[in-house]
Amino acid sequence: MNAKRIPPTKTHAEMVSNWMEQPEFKAEYEKLDGEFALLDELLAARKKAGLTQAQVAERMGTKATAITRLESGLASGTQGPSYNTLKKYAAAVGKKLQIRFV
């Protein structure tokens, strides 16, 4: 196919802002707040430790695909990690797991 790529006319932030005006979208999006917050924490801890998914996996005694599934599962809201998995992830990136109700 020789279709010419058309650049986007809106940024991701602009699209989300427009979608947030729709009550159904906003409700579903807000249901995922916890998953998104956890994903942000995982990614920030891994980045701060300077580790790749493969390196975290090695430290956890698993495969890189498991870390990919863990992170992408949180991003899509389809799969939540177990407490033990989160503990292992935290240890792999040099952190301790702490859970709080706010």
Side-chain angles (χ1 to χ4, degrees):
M1 244 177 146
N2 292 337
K4 212 173 197 180
R5 183 180 180 281
I6 300 170
T9 57
K10 292 183 181 182
T11 66
H12 180 260
E14 289 170 332
M15 288 188 300
V16 171
S17 178
N18 288 343
W19 294 333
M20 291 297 267
E21 294 172 8
Q22 301 171 21
E24 301 84 18
F25 177 88
K26 186 174 181 176
E28 290 300 315
Y29 188 88
E30 288 174 351
K31 284 182 189 177
L32 297 174
D33 269 354
E35 285 85 352
F36 289 148
L38 177 56
L39 177 59
D40 287 346
E41 290 289 327
L42 293 177
L43 296 177
R46 182 164 62 81
K47 183 178 179 179
K48 187 171 182 179
L51 299 172
T52 64
Q53 287 180 335
Q55 291 167 321
V56 171
E58 184 178 332
R59 290 178 178 201
M60 289 176 64
T62 191
K63 297 182 180 182
T65 54
I67 303 306
T68 301
R69 278 193 312 274
L70 177 128
E71 293 177 356
S72 63
L74 284 169
S76 66
T78 59
Q79 174 182 338
S82 71
Y83 178 77
N84 281 338
T85 299
L86 290 174
K87 258 180 31 177
K88 288 178 185 178
Y89 192 102
V93 296
K95 301 285 185 184
K96 282 177 43 178
L97 178 64
Q98 183 181 72
I99 298 175
R100 293 180 282 158
F101 292 100
V102 293

